[in-house]
Amino acid sequence: MSVQTPVRPPPPPAPAQKPGSDFARLYKKIAAAGLMGRRPGYYTARIAAVAALYAGGWAAFVLVGDSWWTLAVAGFLAFVFGQVALVTHDTAHRQVFRLRKASERAGRLAGNLGIGMGYGWWQDKHTRHHANPNHAELDPDVLPDVLVWSQDQARVAKGLPRLLGRSQAFLFFPLLTLEGFSLHVAGVRALANRALKHRTLEGTLLFAHFAVYLTALFLVLPPGMAIAFLAVHQCLFGVYLGSIFAPNHKGMPILTGDERPDFLRRQVLTSRNVHGGRFTDLMLGGLNYQIEHHLFPSMPTPHLRRAQVIVRDYCRDLGISYLETSLITSYRQALTSLHRAGAPIREARAAAAPAGA
C-alpha cells in the first residue's frame, strides 16, 4: 500500500563503492562478463510485444462488447497492465535507455498514460526502497501504513494497522485486490506535492488515462457490466502486481536504526530470489532474480539469469547467506513473517479480553 512522500532525484544507476570493497570486486566480475551491456534488440522486441498485447486486449474488449465474456478480457488486460508496469520499472532503472530524459519520457507514457500509475511518485518511492531495502525507517515499502512488518511496529500500531494486524497474514492477498486502486490514488495525491517534477505533464497524462479508460468502459458496456469490468480488471491487476513484488523482500530480515551493513550485504541479505524457468522469468518480469537486480539495478533483465551464477558463487565464497526458493515457498515465508509480526496485537487483544468480559 502506498503513502505520499517528498520527491527526490534518483541515484546514479550503479552505486559508487570504495575501491577494493566486496561489491567493487563483484562488479568487476560482472562487467568483465559483459553483463552490464545494453540489450536494445531485446527491449525493442519486448516493448513491441507488450504494446501489441495492449492494443489487442482493447480491440478484443470492443469486439466482445456487451457480453459477460468481456470479464475474461478484463482478466487478460490485468496481465497486460502488469507487463506494462514491469516495462515501466525497467525503464525507470535505465535498463532500456541510457539517457535520463528518454527514460522519463518513456516511463511517463507507459506508466501515467498507459496504466494510470504516477511515474514520478513511484520512481521516488522505488529509489528509496533500493537504497535501503527492508529498513524500517528508510524503506517506504515497509512503513506501517496498512500492515505491520515487524513486532516493534505492531507494539505501537494504531488505527488501520492495529485493526488489521492480528489477521494480516490471512488478509494479505485479499488486500492486494485494492493495490491497483491504491496506485491510482497515490499518483493523483502526489500531484499536490510541489516538489514533484513535471507535475502538469504527469497530471495531464494521468487524467487522460482515466478519462479514456472510463469513457471506453461506459461507452461500450452497460453501466452494471462496466462496473463489473472495472472491478475485475483493477482487482486482478493489483493481485498480479502484488504477487510479483511480494516474494522479493517480505519475510526477509528488517533493519532498524543504525543497522546498515555494507552495500553488498544490505542488498543480498534483505532480498530473496525465486527459482524457475523461462515462464517464471516472463510472469515475474525478471524480478525473480531480486538479489541480482538490487545489486545491479541498471542491468538488462535478460542478463540477470547469467549474473545469478556469478553472484551466488561469490556470496558462497564470502560466507554471505543467499536465499533462493520456489514461488510457493516465498509466499509461505512472507505470510509466516506477517503472522509473526502481528503477534503483539493478538496478545494484547487476548490480555484485554477478560477485563472486558
Side-chain angles (χ1 to χ4, degrees), residues 59-330:
F61 166 76
V62 173
L63 291 174
V64 173
D66 185 1
S67 165
W68 286 108
W69 283 105
T70 196
L71 297 185
V73 178
F76 172 74
L77 280 171
F79 164 75
V80 175
F81 268 44
Q83 289 293 311
V84 174
L86 290 170
V87 169
T88 306
H89 168 273
D90 289 6
T91 301
H93 282 296
R94 299 192 198 175
Q95 297 175 22
V96 183
F97 303 103
R98 187 179 301 276
L99 298 178
R100 177 181 58 82
K101 286 187 177 180
S103 299
E104 289 182 351
R105 287 171 185 151
R108 288 192 180 94
L109 285 174
N112 292 60
L113 186 61
I115 59 175
M117 180 184 78
Y119 176 80
W121 159 80
W122 175 85
Q123 186 188 42
D124 171 70
K125 175 177 176 287
H126 194 63
T127 296
R128 290 183 292 111
H129 158 71
H130 264 263
N132 294 282
N134 266 27
H135 192 289
E137 291 90 39
L138 302 175
D139 182 358
D141 287 351
V142 291
L143 293 178
D145 54 348
V146 175
L147 304 177
V148 293
W149 305 102
S150 69
Q151 293 193 358
D152 287 341
Q153 290 181 346
R155 292 186 184 98
V156 297
K158 297 179 180 179
L160 194 58
R162 188 165 190 84
L163 176 65
L164 301 180
R166 66 178 184 271
S167 304
Q168 61 183 15
F170 302 99
L171 296 173
F172 180 71
F173 280 103
L175 285 172
L176 288 184
T177 60
L178 303 177
E179 185 63 18
F181 297 104
S182 177
L183 283 174
H184 302 320
V185 171
V188 172
R189 289 179 60 193
L191 296 175
N193 185 350
R194 293 183 179 275
L196 180 68
K197 293 182 178 180
H198 308 292
R199 283 196 306 160
T200 301
L201 175 60
E202 291 231 355
T204 300
L205 294 174
L206 266 181
F207 286 106
H209 170 84
F210 299 144
V212 173
Y213 179 86
L214 293 173
T215 298
L217 261 56
F218 286 93
L219 189 64
V220 173
L221 303 176
M225 195 175 293
I227 293 172
F229 182 98
L230 185 149
V232 170
H233 178 218
Q234 294 297 328
C235 288
L236 290 182
F237 170 50
V239 171
Y240 178 41
L241 208 57
S243 297
I244 291 173
F245 286 93
N248 302 340
H249 304 280
K250 307 311 180 193
M252 299 302 291
I254 293 182
L255 309 178
T256 58
D258 295 330
E259 189 180 4
R260 203 166 182 265
D262 65 82
F263 180 79
L264 175 65
R265 287 161 180 82
R266 187 162 75 246
Q267 304 300 337
V268 174
L269 297 177
T270 59
S271 303
R272 177 197 294 109
N273 275 15
V274 173
H275 60 68
R278 299 294 181 184
F279 180 74
T280 303
D281 293 358
L282 170 66
M283 296 301 292
L284 301 186
L287 295 183
N288 42 314
Y289 305 106
Q290 188 67 195
I291 294 172
E292 289 70 32
H293 170 61
H294 261 255
L295 289 171
F296 310 101
S298 63
M299 179 184 289
T301 295
H303 289 170
L304 293 172
R305 178 182 284 267
R306 290 171 55 198
Q308 182 191 30
V309 178
I310 298 173
V311 173
R312 186 171 52 201
D313 291 347
Y314 188 77
C315 288
R316 182 193 60 209
D317 293 342
L318 291 179
I320 300 174
S321 177
Y322 180 105
L323 182 60
E324 183 181 18
T325 72
S326 69
L327 184 61
I328 298 301
T329 299
S330 74

